[in-house]
């Protein structure tokens, strides 16, 4: 078992079914959907100590701990969340939720469409960050949480935290926006689009209805993941980890020769086994669409005007997917509004992936910030 | 017709057949191959005014001018090469050659293998920058050019110029190494590998023998080109040209919505129509393999010791494929050897593509450098 004394230990996912249709940004709505979630720690009597952790592209509700029957399946942010950790489950009640449209238990394209009795496939709507947040609000309602002490996440998870602060300001006391951006750059969209094209043009995609054909667009998904991976790691880190090191195999063939080739193929293979292609397409579109300023004439400060939360914004020096400059756009807009915002740029060699990795300074920073949050939350509840 | 008064005008490609087998770095050799080339200007009596232009990934021998029956098919470096231009064809005899393994006329994977009477396909060897240069030497021999006044190129073309300076120092007086690198970084290799995987896993690739099946791995080639294009343009330039501008089409679909999506699809579609997948695979491998320092224990200066040419090294500030830092590695190694080297870092917003674009400062710099070259060449020939 991968758990340590400071782990939340064995956890269990729970499922909630929502009968009431959820209106979506695309104009459609979805009814009878399920959200899978996990909780760690204990919700206090005032229900004031809850922290919502939002996940990024390929993660899930399984934030911390392991499952009894899968002792090696460690939650994706286990180094961050646990007793005595930066997000201290001795003090906080932490909620991890799998987003709508995902492929880890919450209703998604592979789920059965009650209208047809067959998987949604192409019929599953294109969901947005706003839709995810609205679905999370309903989960909070179901759990009796009126106001989160904090909503937090990295990357796309950070965008959800930012969205919460704008869309549901009364329900969030702190927003922790880590390794995120106020929107995707043209280059970010370009990478997403190439990944999507790899999937959409895979002959086994069958326009999204591959479930009915008993196949999966594995080739496309594999290439999509490989493209993504290049953007998650810094150039420097790639050079340090892999450099131009040959794998020691045959030269003058298309077999992997450089270690970076093996690494990427491994990541692509692994991912294409467990991830759903329709989910991948939709999550990249949600990323592309996220742009709170677009509703405010491009003025991010204006878009953030409704926010009343306090903010911790964190970026990583070598993150070239969402660079520190993009985080600073958020910070600047918040400062323009007179909001309370702390900002830290962590010197880390790992690129975008840094938000997921063990880093004492990073974790100490989050821990210190949340230490103050707890006090505030308790006070507010008195 | 796209030509202007300072154009070389209508040109004609020529073909030379080489019966003698060319030994290749992979251990194989190739016999009875053809090289297609073009020349502009007049070779002087001393044959001392020849400049060889080496092409990059998707270009060819068609460097300047147009064809009589294709008046819009302008050479890829027409803005650089012509009467009175930076590479002045009133003074120089300029040679453009299509590399071995290409798909524009020189013998390549789509050519007929004389041993089988069918296209080479997968049987076409993996060629290297060294192989290209060796083949170019034979072309020079055939043209009676003992010593080039200059060998020049951008990107992969610059690598060939660098290789010439090491491998055939007596036959090159100047090397113009533009937007190049002394080898590929792990990140560069990563992009190449994803592009290759897109092609190799296309069901219509048929392990390289798709010609026999009457199909082409268009989907893979298209994605490969889209990936490449992202690396050719700077983030800044992409933001300026495309930003997050919506195309004005339907939202919430996988049709192109952002202009960058349309741009990439267009580039991918166009490329996949005319380019050969086996050629693409081989050229990216040649890029990955290029690493002169590897034969000198990683010591680039030691690798460059045989070079006697004078050098002009040019980089572009926003080139993130082969950044100025990579060009400076070449410059530093040359300086360590006491070589004569001029270096210029051109402030240009266009990223790697800048080496192909019209830029008065860039072209003036090349023109001024080659002005001095002409004098030197004439002197040496006296």
């Amino acid at each position: 078992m991968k758990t340590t004394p400071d782990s939340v230990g064995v956890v269990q996912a729970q499922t909630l079914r929502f009968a009431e249709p959820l209106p979506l940004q695309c104009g459609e709505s979805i009814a009878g959907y399920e959200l899978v979630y996990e909780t760690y720690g204990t919700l206090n009597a005032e229900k004031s100590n809850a922290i919502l952790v939002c996940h990024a592209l390929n993660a899930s509700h399984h934030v911390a701990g392991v499952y009894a029957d899968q002792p090696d399946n460690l939650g994706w942010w286990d180094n961050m969340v646990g007793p005595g950790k930066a997000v201290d489950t001795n003090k906080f009640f932490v909620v991890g939720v799998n987003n709508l449209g995902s492929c880890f238990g919450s209703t998604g394209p592979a789920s059965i469409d009650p209208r047809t009795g067959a998987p949604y496939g192409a019929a599953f709507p294109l969901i947005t960050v706003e839709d995810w947040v609205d679905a999370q609000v309903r989960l909070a309602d179901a759990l009796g949480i009126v106001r989160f002490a904090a909503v937090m996440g990295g990357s796309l998870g950070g965008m959800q935290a930012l969205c919460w602060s704008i869309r549901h300001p009364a329900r969030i006391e702190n927003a922790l926006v880590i390794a995120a951006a106020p929107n995707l750059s043209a280059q970010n969209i370009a990478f997403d689009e190439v990944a999507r094209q790899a999937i959409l043009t895979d002959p086994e995609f069958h326009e999204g209805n591959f479930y009915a054909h008993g196949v999966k667009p594995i080739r496309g998904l594999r290439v999509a993941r490989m493209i993504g991976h290049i953007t998650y790691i810094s150039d420097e880190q790639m050079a340090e980890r892999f450099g131009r090191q040959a794998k020691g195999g045959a030269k003058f063939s298309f077999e992997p020769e450089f270690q970076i080739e093996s690494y990427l193929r491994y990541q692509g293979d692994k991912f294409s086994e467990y991830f759903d292609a329709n989910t991948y397409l939709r999550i990249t579109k949600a990323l592309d669409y996220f742009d709170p300023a677009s509703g405010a004439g491009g003025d991010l400060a204006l878009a953030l005007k409704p926010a009343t939360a306090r903010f911790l914004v964190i970026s990583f020096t070598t993150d070239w997917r969402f660079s520190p400059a993009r985080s600073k756009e958020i910070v600047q807009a918040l400062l323009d509004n007179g909001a309370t915002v702390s900002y830290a740029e962590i010197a880390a060699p790992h690129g975008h992936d840094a938000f997921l990795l063990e880093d004492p300074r990073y974790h100490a920073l989050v821990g210190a910030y949340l230490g103050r949050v707890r006090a505030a939350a308790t006070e507010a509840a008195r």
Side-chain angles (χ1 to χ4, degrees), chain A:
Chain A
M1 194 178 290
K2 281 192 176 172
T3 55
T4 52
D6 61 351
S7 167
V8 298
V10 171
V11 299
Q12 213 167 355
Q14 295 168 269
T15 302
L16 266 175
R17 186 167 188 84
F18 297 84
E20 195 194 340
L22 181 74
L24 304 171
Q25 295 293 306
C26 64
E28 297 179 45
S29 71
I30 186 160
Y33 62 92
E34 293 184 341
L35 291 181
V36 178
Y37 66 101
E38 289 179 12
T39 68
Y40 324 106
T42 309
L43 188 61
N44 63 16
E46 300 88 359
K47 302 193 172 178
S48 64
N49 69 332
I51 292 183
L52 176 68
V53 173
C54 304
H55 70 76
L57 204 149
N58 70 318
S60 72
H61 54 286
H62 186 39
V63 176
V66 296
Y67 299 127
D69 60 345
Q70 297 172 44
D72 292 328
N73 184 355
L74 198 63
W76 59 271
W77 226 357
D78 190 84
N79 60 25
M80 179 71 92
V81 176
K85 291 185 182 173
V87 181
D88 189 350
T89 51
N90 289 330
K91 297 167 186 163
F92 291 109
F93 176 70
V94 179
V95 181
V97 56
N98 188 216
N99 283 331
L100 204 56
S102 183
C103 50
F104 296 115
S106 292
T107 300
S111 306
I112 297 301
D113 182 346
R115 300 167 300 186
T116 64
Y120 280 99
F124 197 88
L126 267 70
I127 27 58
T128 64
V129 170
E130 286 77 10
D131 297 331
W132 286 332
V133 166
D134 290 353
Q136 290 160 2
V137 166
R138 289 199 177 172
L139 175 66
D141 289 345
L143 298 175
I145 299 163
V146 174
R147 186 171 166 93
F148 279 108
V151 175
M152 68 187 292
S155 192
L156 182 51
M159 289 169 166
Q160 291 164 62
L162 194 64
C163 182
W164 263 93
S165 76
I166 298 169
R167 204 166 166 83
H168 304 284
R171 306 197 61 163
I172 161 177
E173 200 161 290
N174 291 273
L176 278 69
V177 180
I178 303 169
N183 63 26
L184 261 61
S185 70
Q187 191 186 70
N188 292 147
I189 295 174
F191 279 117
D192 279 353
E193 169 65 3
V194 181
R196 280 193 296 266
Q197 286 298 311
I199 294 170
L200 291 166
T201 61
D202 185 322
E204 301 197 317
F205 179 63
H206 293 288
E207 299 190 311
N209 298 313
F210 50 88
Y211 316 102
H213 294 78
V215 292
K216 287 180 187 182
I218 284 176
R219 299 182 196 92
L221 199 51
R222 184 170 170 273
V223 166
R225 181 59 166 179
M226 292 173 82
I227 294 168
H229 249 281
I230 298 178
T231 70
Y232 303 152
I233 310 180
S234 70
D235 189 18
E236 300 88 324
Q237 178 74 358
M238 225 184 236
E240 194 179 304
R241 279 181 68 183
F242 307 106
R244 291 185 46 85
Q245 285 169 53
K247 225 190 136 250
K251 236 193 153 189
F252 299 107
S253 82
F254 298 116
E255 292 308 303
E257 295 180 52
F258 297 99
Q259 290 187 355
I260 180 66
E261 296 175 315
S262 306
Y263 172 78
L264 284 179
R265 290 190 195 187
Y266 172 77
Q267 295 292 344
D269 288 340
K270 206 174 62 170
F271 187 73
S272 64
E273 278 168 22
Y274 71 79
F275 211 82
D276 179 82
N278 281 314
T279 293
Y280 198 86
L281 291 174
R282 280 159 181 75
I283 293 185
T284 59
K285 280 306 254 188
L287 272 162
D288 291 2
Y289 287 147
F290 182 70
D291 188 14
S294 69
D299 183 341
L300 185 59
L302 186 60
L304 281 164
K305 270 271 188 286
T308 54
R310 285 180 295 276
F311 287 83
L312 174 61
V313 179
I314 297 177
S315 69
F316 299 93
T317 47
T318 57
D319 184 350
W320 67 281
R321 184 172 170 81
F322 298 143
S323 71
R326 303 306 319 272
S327 285
K328 282 181 201 158
E329 289 177 36
I330 299 171
V331 172
Q332 188 57 56
L334 289 168
L335 290 175
D336 287 350
N337 289 346
T340 304
V341 50
S342 300
Y343 173 64
E345 190 173 316
I346 310 257
H350 313 97
H352 190 59
D353 264 358
F355 88 86
L356 292 166
L357 301 176
E358 190 96 48
D359 181 318
R361 289 159 308 166
Y362 164 42
H363 286 176
L365 188 80
V366 172
Y369 185 91
L370 289 180
R372 291 195 299 275
V373 164
R374 182 178 59 94
T378 311
E379 217 163 86
R382 261 181 208 140

